[in-house]
Amino acid sequence: MSLLVDERRTVGFLIADVARMMRSAFDRRVRRIGLTRAQWQVLAILHRRPGLSQSELAEMLEVERATAGRLIDRLEQKGWVRRRRDPADRRTYRLHLTVEAEAVQAGMGRIAAEMIDDAMATLHPGEREALTEMLERVKTRLLAMRPRTPASGPAPRTDRPDHAVAAEAWP
């Protein structure tokens, strides 16, 4: 067996490759409703964490603050995001989805559920549950391994039903 084949069977490679392929498959499906990857990621994040600041959103998207600002501007023009002043800090705006965006988010949720069912169609229900459980344990371990600093804030919640999904931005 060649070294290349062995490398492709490592857990890290497989997890990264499956996550990439799932994002691409989801991208293709939500393109039908007019969403780009950046847009669906913002909608998913703000659905789960309403009231984030532009800086917090940029950090979660792993983009520059100005890039996040342009994206928020476009979503605001579509009527999907509203900026509200932070009552504790007048320099900061908090981001919230509109009713229209929540409807789009619900559609994204249905598309995501269908895509995951399609992707896992070859797994028996018990295998799917076991895979989810194992990924949850790995994620919990990785979260525990992260260094905690005052700037990083509290540890992310792991008690959500969707917490086994690798990216916070996944619908």
Side-chain angles (χ1 to χ4, degrees), residues 35-56:
L35 290 171
T36 67
R37 178 176 292 183
Q39 289 171 337
W40 70 252
Q41 287 178 321
V42 170
L43 295 180
I45 290 169
L46 292 178
H47 175 73
R48 286 192 181 102
R49 297 178 123 181
L52 287 177
S53 70
Q54 182 173 316
S55 296
E56 292 165 332

Side-chain angles (χ1 to χ4, degrees), residues 130-151:
L131 175 62
T132 300
E133 209 295 304
M134 288 183 281
L135 288 172
E136 287 173 344
R137 289 190 343 237
V138 170
K139 180 178 179 180
T140 298
R141 175 70 181 139
L142 290 168
L143 286 170
M145 292 168 43
R146 285 191 344 192
R148 304 300 323 152
T149 64

Side-chain angles (χ1 to χ4, degrees), residues 93-117:
Y93 285 91
R94 297 290 170 182
L95 305 171
H96 298 272
L97 296 182
T98 63
V99 172
E100 294 84 1
E102 290 291 351
V104 172
Q105 171 64 33
M108 287 171 31
R110 287 188 296 276
I111 291 169
E114 291 169 5
M115 197 227 33
I116 289 170
D117 285 343

